[in-house]
Amino acid sequence: MFTILKKIENLTVTIVGLGVIGAAFAQSFKEMGIKTVYGIDIDEETIKKAEEKKMINKGFLETREPLEKSDFVVITLYPNLMKSFFVNNINYFKENAIITDVVGIKEKIIKDIDPIIEKSGRNIDFIFGHPMAGREKRGIDFADSRVFKDANYIIIKDEKNKKENLELLSEIVKLMGFKKVSFLTAKEHDEIIAFTSQLTHAIAVSLVNSDSEKYDTNRFIGDSYRDLTRIAKINEDLWAELFMGNKKNLLKMIQQFERELDVIKDALNDNDLGTLKEKFIMSTRRREKID
C-alpha cells in the first residue's frame, strides 16, 4: 500500500476541463498528496481561479505542454467534444500515459475514441470511467471534492487495459472518497445508467414541467417534492447530449417506468386497494435495500 501511495503522489496529472467536476478532481488530487496537477481549460478566468485556490500547480489554454508531461490524464469534457479532442491531441500524450474520463455514456464514446488511438499507434492506456457524483450547478465556483465521499464509481472492463493501471485507477478513486468501485462492460454501464441516472432526471424534469401553476406551488411543497425534483435543475447542454447519446436504452427505461405507473393508474380507476398496497409494500422493501 505504501508503494502505491508513493507512486500516486509522484504522478504528474492533468485535468482537461476545469468545470464543477474537473475542478473537484483537481482539488481531490491535491488533497491526497499528488505533487503536480495541471489544468487545461478554454477560459482564462477559470484557470486563474484554479491556480488561486491551489487546485492546480499551473493552468494552460493550450494542450501540448501539459499532456506531454503527464502520466495520468482525466478528461472531463462533454460527450460531443471527446472525439474532436482526441483527433486534435492524440500525438501529444506521453508514452505509457493512463487516460480516463467522466462521461456518463460509454458505448458511443468508446466507438469514437478507440479507432483514433488504434490508428495513431500511440502506447497509451485509456480506461473509461464514470464517477457517480455531481452537482446541479456548473462551473469552478461550485466545485467541491466532498461530492465524491461515499459515492459510487464505475470502471469499464476492457481487455486492452493493463491490469496494473486498472488497479492504480481503482486505488486513486478510493483515496478520493468513493465508497464502491464497480467494473462493468460499456453495454452494461449504459443500460443501468439509463435507469439509475437518466430516467430519474427525465422523471424529475417531467414532474416539474407538469405543474399547471394554478397555485403558488412553492407554498405547498414538502420534502417529498424537494427530494424528487432536486435534479430537475439541470445542465441542458450536457444532459441533452447524454440523453441522445444513450437514446435506445433510455427509451426502454421510460417505457418500463410507464408500465409501472399504469399499474397504479389502473388500480385507481378500478378502486383496487389491494394492488396499491402491494405496490407500496414492494417499493418499501426495495428501497430499504438501498444504502
Side-chain angles (χ1 to χ4, degrees):
M1 185 64 179
F2 177 77
T3 305
I4 293 175
L5 284 173
K6 255 340 225 187
K7 183 175 181 179
I8 291 170
E9 288 176 3
N10 290 316
L11 290 172
T12 297
V13 175
T14 288
I15 312 292
V16 181
L18 293 169
V20 67
I21 292 297
F25 262 81
Q27 183 182 33
S28 185
F29 288 163
K30 295 301 286 186
E31 288 169 351
M32 75 170 69
I34 294 178
K35 295 168 186 172
T36 306
V37 179
Y38 297 133
I40 297 172
D41 203 275
I42 60 173
D43 183 66
E44 287 188 67
E45 187 62 29
T46 294
I47 290 172
K48 183 180 176 184
K49 285 180 180 179
E51 291 175 340
E52 289 173 348
K53 294 180 182 210
K54 310 281 187 200
M55 291 175 168
I56 59 174
N57 297 80
K58 187 177 180 181
F60 298 83
L61 292 169
E62 301 296 329
T63 58
R64 182 167 189 160
E65 183 180 346
L67 292 181
E68 287 181 339
K69 295 177 179 178
S70 294
D71 309 298
F72 188 83
V73 179
V74 182
I75 302 173
T76 69
L77 301 176
Y78 285 11
N80 290 350
L81 293 174
M82 290 287 288
K83 184 175 182 179
S84 61
F85 179 83
F86 264 81
V87 168
N88 294 328
N89 294 281
I90 187 64
N91 293 320
Y92 298 155
F93 290 103
K94 183 179 179 180
E95 187 79 2
N96 295 313
I98 303 168
I99 304 162
T100 193
D101 71 321
V102 301
V103 177
I105 53 174
K106 291 304 175 201
E107 285 194 294
K108 179 183 182 297
I109 300 301
I110 292 172
K111 193 180 292 184
D112 284 343
I113 301 302
D114 272 358
I116 299 170
I117 296 175
E118 289 168 15
K119 186 178 179 181
S120 73
R122 303 284 292 168
N123 187 21
I124 56 176
D125 197 6
F126 197 137
I127 304 173
F128 293 88
H130 184 188
M132 298 299 297
R135 289 289 178 91
E136 289 69 61
K137 296 182 179 180
R138 64 183 92 175
I140 193 171
D141 292 331
F142 301 101
D144 188 342
S145 62
R146 289 176 295 183
V147 74
F148 303 137
K149 183 172 173 52
D150 294 332
N152 295 320
Y153 202 100
I154 300 171
I155 296 175
I156 303 304
K157 292 187 294 190
D158 194 318
E159 292 179 356
K160 292 194 299 293
N161 297 133
K162 295 177 182 177
K163 183 182 177 183
E164 61 269 28
N165 291 344
L166 289 168
E167 291 173 353
L168 182 65
L169 176 58
S170 183
E171 287 301 322
I172 287 172
V173 299
K174 287 174 185 174
L175 288 170
M176 290 172 69
F178 286 93
K179 186 178 182 180
K180 293 178 182 176
V181 180
S182 301
F183 291 84
L184 298 176
T185 66
K187 184 176 186 297
E188 289 168 340
H189 170 277
D190 286 359
E191 284 178 344
I192 189 60
I193 292 306
F195 178 71
T196 61
S197 179
Q198 293 167 358
L199 175 64
T200 53
H201 281 78
I203 291 169
V205 167
S206 300
L207 176 58
V208 168
N209 289 342
S210 69
D211 185 359
S212 67
E213 298 186 318
K214 179 180 179 181
Y215 301 100
D216 180 4
T217 307
N218 198 45
R219 296 182 61 185
F220 307 105
I221 62 174
D223 288 344
S224 57
Y225 189 89
R226 288 191 186 92
D227 291 346
L228 277 171
T229 60
R230 176 182 62 82
I231 55 175
K233 189 173 181 182
I234 195 167
N235 179 334
E236 69 279 4
D237 297 319
L238 174 60
W239 282 92
E241 289 187 23
L242 293 172
F243 275 28
M244 294 303 293
N246 200 26
K247 179 171 68 172
K248 183 179 178 181
N249 286 313
L250 179 54
L251 284 171
K252 179 181 174 183
M253 296 306 168
I254 289 172
Q255 290 164 359
Q256 183 174 297
F257 174 76
E258 287 173 336
R259 285 195 296 271
E260 197 62 29
L261 193 60
D262 282 341
V263 173
I264 293 177
K265 185 169 69 175
D266 293 342
L268 290 170
N269 283 325
D270 298 339
N271 294 312
D272 185 352
L273 196 63
T275 295
L276 283 179
K277 289 183 178 181
E278 180 184 317
K279 288 298 176 182
F280 296 161
I281 291 168
M282 180 187 294
S283 70
T284 298
R285 286 175 178 167
R286 289 188 172 190
R287 185 61 183 84
E288 285 173 346
K289 294 177 183 177
I290 299 173
D291 293 339

